[in-house]
Each structure stands twice: as C-alpha cells, then as structure tokens.
Amino acid sequence: MTNKVKNYLENGVHEIRPKVLFKQIEAKFPDSNVMFSVNIPSSAIGGLTLLESSILVTLAKLISLSEFFEFGTYMGATSVLMAINSSAQAKITTVDLEPESIKSSDGSDGALILLDDVQNDNYLRRMFAEKGSYYIDRADTATRAKIHRMYHDSRTLDPDKEGLTNRFDFIFIDGGHDYETIRVDSDNALKMATEDAVIIWHDYRSKIHGDVTSFINYFSSNFPIIYVQNTMLAFTLKGKFRSLL
Ligand SMILES: C[S@@+](CC[C@H](N)C(=O)[O-])C[C@H]1O[C@@H](n2cnc3c(N)ncnc32)[C@H](O)[C@@H]1O
C-alpha cells in the first residue's frame, strides 16, 4: 500500500450535503419534474453509486453540459450516464489505456483488491483490458454516437496535440489513482477546461486510494474544493459556475 504521500491539510475543502445541489435544481427548474436515467449499478467494483450518479447528472444539468471529458472509461457506465442525460448536442469524450498495453503480468491478488491501492488499480486495468467498455457497446446507436472513446495513457496525454485544450465544461477525473497520475490528470484538466467549467474527482476520502485525498487536499490550497457528503466526489468550480453554490 502506498503510504509515501504526505497527508495535506484539507483547509480549502468545504463539505456540503447532496441536497444543497438538489435545491439548485429545484431553483433552476421550478415547474418541472427533473428526471434522470441510470443503469442499475454494476455489481463489479470501480463504478459510481446511485447517489454519485445523481450528483454528476445534477451538475451537468446545472451547467447545461456541452462537452464532458472522463479520465478512466472502465465499463463505460458513466459515459453512457452522461450521454443519456444531456442534450442531443452534448458530446462525451472518455479516455482509457490501450487494452493491449495493459500487461497481464500486472495481475492482482484477489484478497487485496479492496484493501490495497496498487492491487485495486491493477485489477481495474485488467478488467478494462479483458472486457472493454461494454456499457457503451450495449448502448443504443444515438447514445453511442455522442461518445468518443480515446485510448491513451493519460500520464503522457498532450491536450494541445490531441485537440483537447480549452474545450470541456465538465471534466471527471477517475483514471489511475496513484499520486503522479492524479497530479498529471488534474494539470491537464485545468488546460482542457473552458473558462466556465466544473472539474470533479472520484475517490476523495476513499479508504483505499489515499493518494487521491492527499492530492485534492493539496490542490485545495489554490482551488476551493467542494466535497459532497456520503459520496467520494469532490469538485471545483471555475469562472461563472463559482456562483452555483
Ligand atoms: C475506477 S475505473 C473508472 C470508472 C469509470 N470512470 C466509471 O465511472 O465507471 C479506472 C479506469 O482508469 C483506467 N486507467 C488507469 N490508469 C490509467 C492511465 N494512466 N491512463 C488512462 N486510463 C487509466 C483503468 O484502466 C480503469 O478502466
């Protein structure tokens, strides 16, 4: 287990209850039932809970999502969630490793995948290499057409070269969970975000992925972070979206 990262103080992290966001939806759509569509959560590890899914959709609706970027496609459940619950014009781009680049030697010890961060990440990569993003494969044609899948190691992603700079108003960081990957993905997210944008991370305060918590606590000294209680979601608001909360 990686225990090498200093535990930064979480001075810039503000906790909210989920209902703080739900109230904003009620204020934005006072005369509508605001519905969303979601798969029954997968029994596999590594996906979002129902509450977390509802928070992502809530934020997408509050900002009237235009372009979403996801680090870490995995089964593709969140790509599909965002594609189904956004306007017909919205676009979803999601990146994961080239499946052939995932070494079968990076196996995981079944007993440790829920205890150890490295073993857990190895397991998620192997699952992706073996099964691919099958939620996207099984989605209907219109949903699939909104999703662009990229295969690239995010640690060597060059946003300028890939045409990703200054493009996305919602970015979800949920790829590799080691400190260096989170740091590089977060730096790139800042380049890829439009002036008004939301950047959200999964696995904040995870019992397994301590590096995510350490990085976000450190990051919060420059960018105020909002942590949503009863989830592992933490986000920062840019530009005009700062006044959302
Ligand atoms: C927790 S899963 C993502 C879950 C997905 N975001 C969801 O909501 O369903 C993490 C994924 O990140 C991918 N990943 C790990 N390291 C990566 C890297 N360096 N570049 C791109 N993807 C990576 C893994 O292959 C795995 O599929």
Side-chain angles (χ1 to χ4, degrees):
M1 199 176 308
T2 48
N3 216 351
K4 54 188 179 287
V5 178
K6 188 177 166 206
N7 274 324
Y8 292 99
L9 290 175
E10 43 183 78
N11 291 337
V13 180
H14 174 66
E15 280 189 40
I16 60 166
R17 292 182 179 180
K19 74 175 183 183
V20 171
L21 289 166
F22 302 154
K23 269 189 185 167
Q24 298 298 332
I25 285 284
E26 289 159 6
K28 183 168 178 176
F29 306 99
D31 302 317
S32 313
N33 295 330
V34 182
M35 316 287 286
F36 77 109
S37 190
V38 62
N39 252 294
I40 299 291
S42 169
S43 61
I45 67 163
L48 298 187
T49 65
L50 271 179
L51 178 60
E52 289 169 339
S53 299
S54 76
I55 298 292
L56 254 74
V57 175
T58 295
L59 284 165
K61 290 190 183 297
L62 288 176
I63 66 169
S64 303
L65 172 71
S66 169
E67 282 218 53
F68 178 82
F69 188 91
E70 176 181 42
F71 289 90
T73 314
Y74 193 42
M75 301 176 282
T78 299
S79 301
V80 169
L81 176 81
M82 301 313 282
I84 284 188
N85 294 290
S86 55
S87 72
Q89 297 74 38
K91 291 183 192 156
I92 314 300
T93 305
T94 182
V95 70
D96 210 298
L97 294 158
E98 186 68 57
E100 289 75 36
S101 74
I102 298 170
K103 296 191 198 96
S104 50
S105 56
D106 279 352
S108 51
D109 178 338
L112 290 176
I113 55 174
L114 289 177
L115 296 172
D116 182 285
D117 54 353
V118 175
Q119 296 283 334
N120 186 280
D121 264 358
N122 283 347
Y123 174 81
L124 296 171
R125 290 190 192 105
R126 287 265 6 115
M127 283 298 102
F128 176 70
E130 281 170 23
K131 299 191 173 173
S133 37
Y134 53 89
Y135 278 86
I136 303 175
D137 299 335
R138 298 187 304 209
D140 60 68
T141 313
T143 304
R144 277 205 316 273
K146 292 173 75 175
I147 302 173
H148 172 57
R149 290 185 252 194
M150 289 177 64
Y151 298 98
H152 205 297
D153 186 329
S154 70
R155 292 168 298 185
T156 56
L157 191 71
D158 178 344
D160 281 342
K161 201 170 143 206
E162 303 293 332
L164 301 171
T165 303
N166 196 19
R167 231 180 85 180
F168 301 92
D169 54 356
F170 199 178
I171 300 181
F172 181 36
I173 301 178
D174 192 23
H177 298 93
D178 59 283
Y179 198 90
E180 186 56 14
T181 303
I182 293 287
R183 189 190 65 72
V184 172
D185 291 353
S186 303
D187 277 355
N188 279 337
L190 289 170
K191 293 178 195 151
M192 291 158 58
T194 46
E195 200 175 322
D196 307 314
V198 180
I199 300 174
I200 189 161
W201 292 259
H202 193 234
D203 293 293
Y204 183 64
R205 297 191 185 175
S206 154
K207 290 192 177 73
I208 307 172
H209 297 296
D211 285 9
V212 179
T213 308
S214 291
F215 175 79
I216 292 173
N217 289 345
Y218 160 76
F219 191 84
S220 74
S221 53
N222 285 324
F223 297 88
I225 293 287
I226 296 154
Y227 161 66
V228 186
Q229 286 177 0
N230 300 316
T231 75
M232 291 195 284
L233 294 174
F235 62 91
T236 192
L237 300 168
K238 280 189 75 224
K240 71 177 182 191
F241 295 141
R242 279 198 205 112
S243 62
L244 272 181
L245 293 175

